[in-house]
């Protein structure tokens, strides 16, 4: 009978391959064609997980609860006749954990800028399964296409502060494959840097020079002005 068995197909019929903690998944294993009865055995990394007998051509359904890191990894199933030591193995399915992202941090090397200046904004979520997608906002308006990061690094955009409307509050949003878990960053505010007028350096210089001149004049009185006055009498 073993020659009549085909390699079974292992299919995910409930849940996803990217799993969260305590998620239920159901796997279907079926050898078609294959004359019943057939014994189906589910393995995880060559360790037996469960076994079911089928007396007809219905698939064996295995329901698992992914409750720890030891539950993720590669699964296969084996189909065999009860009176045979031979069997055939299915394709493999690999489960991986997805981790929710942490609140992203929005930052810039400077919070003050002048009109006509280029600035950068960085958005980074320290925790969460990759890839992570970032989106930047000015107020409630999107200001750039979304950036998907495949590595654990910040998404960076460059801004040109062309007018007063470019100053104000910015935010970013981070998202990954964890369901319903998008998170917004802190608000970051760009303010207009005060530009000094051309007269300010002159005023500051005069403020420093005049006291020095007065001190010098006071010191010169005993040595130059008084002797000159006495000589003229």
């Amino acid at each position: 009978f073993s020659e009549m068995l085909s390699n079974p197909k292992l299919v995910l019929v409930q849940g996803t391959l990217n799993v969260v903690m305590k998620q239920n998944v159901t796997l279907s294993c079926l050898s078609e064609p294959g004359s019943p009865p057939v014994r189906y055995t589910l393995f995880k990394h060559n360790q037996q997980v469960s076994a079911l007998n089928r007396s007809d051509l219905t698939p064996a359904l295995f329901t698992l609860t992914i409750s720890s890191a030891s539950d993720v990894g590669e699964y296969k199933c084996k189909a065999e006749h009860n009176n045979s030591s031979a069997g055939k193995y299915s394709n493999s399915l690999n489960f991986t954990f997805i981790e929710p992202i942490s609140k992203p941090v929005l930052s810039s090397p400077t919070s003050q800028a002048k009109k006509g200046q280029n600035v950068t904004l960085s958005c980074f979520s320290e925790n969460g399964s990759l890839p992570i997608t970032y989106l930047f906002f000015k107020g409630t308006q999107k200001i750039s296409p979304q950036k998907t990061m495949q590595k654990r690094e910040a998404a960076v955009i460059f801004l040109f502060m062309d007018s007063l409307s470019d100053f104000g509050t910015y935010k970013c949003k981070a998202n990954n494959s964890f369901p319903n878990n998008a998170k917004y960053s802190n608000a970051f505010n760009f303010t207009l840097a005060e530009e000094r007028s051309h007269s300010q350096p002159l005023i500051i210089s005069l403020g420093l020079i005049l006291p020095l001149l007065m001190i010098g004049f006071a010191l010169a009185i005993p040595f130059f002005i008084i002797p000159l006055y006495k000589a003229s009498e």
Side-chain angles (χ1 to χ4, degrees), residues 118-150:
N118 290 307
V119 296
T120 61
L121 271 177
S122 300
C123 187
F124 180 65
S125 188
E126 187 174 357
N127 297 311
S129 302
L130 297 171
I132 298 177
T133 298
Y134 296 95
L135 197 57
F136 291 82
F137 296 85
K138 168 74 166 58
T140 58
Q141 183 177 0
K142 298 176 185 178
I143 58 171
S144 71
Q146 67 180 22
K147 293 179 175 287
T148 300
M149 311 305 293
Q150 303 291 341

Side-chain angles (χ1 to χ4, degrees), residues 26-164:
T26 301
L27 302 176
S28 167
C29 186
L30 177 64
S31 179
E32 189 180 25
S35 57
V38 178
R39 179 176 176 84
Y40 294 99
T41 306
L42 183 68
F43 294 88
K44 178 187 175 295
H45 293 313
N46 300 320
Q47 295 292 323
Q48 181 174 328
V49 176
S50 182
L52 294 171
N53 292 315
R54 285 290 179 263
S55 59
D56 53 20
L57 292 176
T58 58
L61 298 178
F62 300 97
T63 298
L64 310 172
T65 300
I66 308 297
S67 56
S68 68
S70 62
D71 295 325
V72 297
E74 185 183 69
Y75 286 79
K76 286 186 177 182
C77 74
K78 179 184 179 183
E80 58 188 334
H81 287 120
N82 291 335
N83 59 352
S84 173
S85 60
K88 293 191 176 181
Y89 286 90
S90 72
N91 55 296
S92 62
L93 292 178
N94 197 11
F95 290 98
T96 56
F97 264 131
I98 53 173
E99 180 188 5
I101 53 174
S102 57
K103 180 178 178 179
V105 176
L106 185 64
S107 62
S108 176
T110 180
S111 61
Q112 291 188 330
K114 299 176 181 178
K115 288 175 64 176
Q117 182 179 338
N118 290 307
V119 296
T120 61
L121 271 177
S122 300
C123 187
F124 180 65
S125 188
E126 187 174 357
N127 297 311
S129 302
L130 297 171
I132 298 177
T133 298
Y134 296 95
L135 197 57
F136 291 82
F137 296 85
K138 168 74 166 58
T140 58
Q141 183 177 0
K142 298 176 185 178
I143 58 171
S144 71
Q146 67 180 22
K147 293 179 175 287
T148 300
M149 311 305 293
Q150 303 291 341
K151 297 180 180 180
R152 186 76 59 191
E153 57 188 15
V156 179
I157 62 169
F158 300 89
L159 302 173
F160 180 64
M161 313 306 280
D162 189 37
S163 64
L164 290 177

